[in-house]
Amino acid sequence: AKTASPAISPLAGEPIKRADAEKLAGVLKAFADPARLRLLSLIQSAPNGEASVSDLTAPLGLSQPTVSHHLRILTEAGLLERDKRGVWAYYRLVPTAIAAIADLLTPPRKRPTKKTR
C-alpha cells in the first residue's frame, strides 16, 4: 500500500491532523536512512532514470537482500515505482511524490503584516 502525502503541511500555519502527520512521518521515515538517500540519488542519476537491484548493490556496497529491502520501503512510501520486466525489476523515482514532500516542508512566505495606526 502506497503512503499518500498529507493534504496540509505542518508548516502551513494551521494544525496538521493526526492522520496527515502519520502519513508524512511515514514518508520522512523512508527518507531518514543514508542508504535510501543514496538509492534515490543513484536511481535519479542512472541512464534513463531507472535502475535494477543488480545495478545498485555494488555502488552501495550492500547485499542484494538489503538493497531490495530498502527499495521496498521506498516503493511502499510512494517515492519509487517498480516495473517488472521478465526476471528483473526496475525502479524509478516518482517526481510528483518528491515534489509534494518538498512543498510540504517549505514554509509559506511570510505574510505581510498590516500596519496599525
Side-chain angles (χ1 to χ4, degrees):
K2 288 189 177 185
T3 302
S5 295
I8 296 175
S9 168
L11 306 175
E14 55 188 88
I16 187 172
K17 294 179 183 176
R18 179 183 209 117
D20 286 340
E22 288 173 1
K23 289 176 190 175
L24 182 57
V27 173
L28 294 177
K29 191 174 179 180
F31 268 115
D33 182 279
R36 292 184 206 134
L37 289 172
R38 291 205 54 222
L39 279 169
L40 293 171
S41 173
L42 288 165
I43 292 167
Q44 177 65 31
S45 64
N48 300 322
E50 65 180 18
S52 68
V53 174
S54 63
D55 297 328
L56 300 167
T57 53
L60 281 176
L62 298 173
S63 68
Q64 179 274 323
T66 301
V67 171
S68 293
H69 167 75
H70 288 302
L71 289 169
R72 180 183 54 79
I73 289 170
L74 291 167
T75 302
E76 288 176 355
L79 301 170
L80 293 179
E81 291 176 329
R82 181 178 184 266
D83 183 27
K84 182 95 166 147
R85 296 182 212 148
V87 297
W88 299 102
Y90 290 85
Y91 295 85
R92 71 183 145 281
L93 267 66
V94 178
T96 55
I98 305 294
I101 299 306
D103 287 346
L104 287 171
L105 296 176
T106 303
R109 291 187 181 151
K110 260 192 164 175
R111 295 182 182 98
T113 57
K114 293 182 182 178
K115 292 182 181 179
T116 56
R117 295 185 204 193

